[in-house]
Amino acid sequence: MNADSFIKGMQRANANRKQRQTKQQANTVTGKPVVVEPSPAVIASPDFDLEAFRLDIIRKAIAKIMINKQRK
């Protein structure tokens, strides 16, 4: 399997999971959506995307493994 396609698939899967979780959290028990507005402090602060950071580490690890396999 190509490492790039694997990473892209993981990113799509995580984006879909994150979107589903957001929708689930926004619904109340009665099923009516709740409007959630972030605080001004959250809007002003730069985001640290933990998922992107984690995927970047996984991508680098897979690339290193693939390079090591080619050398042997």
Side-chain angles (χ1 to χ4, degrees):
M1 182 183 347
N2 189 353
D4 290 332
S5 62
F6 174 75
I7 295 299
K8 288 179 184 177
M10 289 289 291
Q11 288 172 340
R12 272 195 314 272
N14 282 329
N16 290 338
R17 180 184 53 80
K18 198 173 199 180
Q19 189 176 30
R20 277 194 317 272
Q21 285 178 345
T22 303
K23 286 180 183 178
Q24 287 174 352
Q25 290 172 356
N27 290 334
T28 62
V29 176
T30 60
K32 295 180 182 176
V34 176
V35 178
V36 179
E37 295 183 20
S39 68
V42 173
I43 294 173
S45 67
D47 285 346
F48 175 72
D49 192 0
L50 182 61
E51 286 294 319
F53 179 71
R54 189 175 66 83
L55 287 173
D56 188 45
I57 291 173
I58 292 170
R59 180 185 55 79
K60 288 178 183 177
I62 291 172
K64 190 165 190 101
I65 290 168
M66 298 299 275
I67 290 171
N68 287 338
K69 279 187 177 181
Q70 289 177 353
R71 288 184 184 166
K72 292 182 180 180

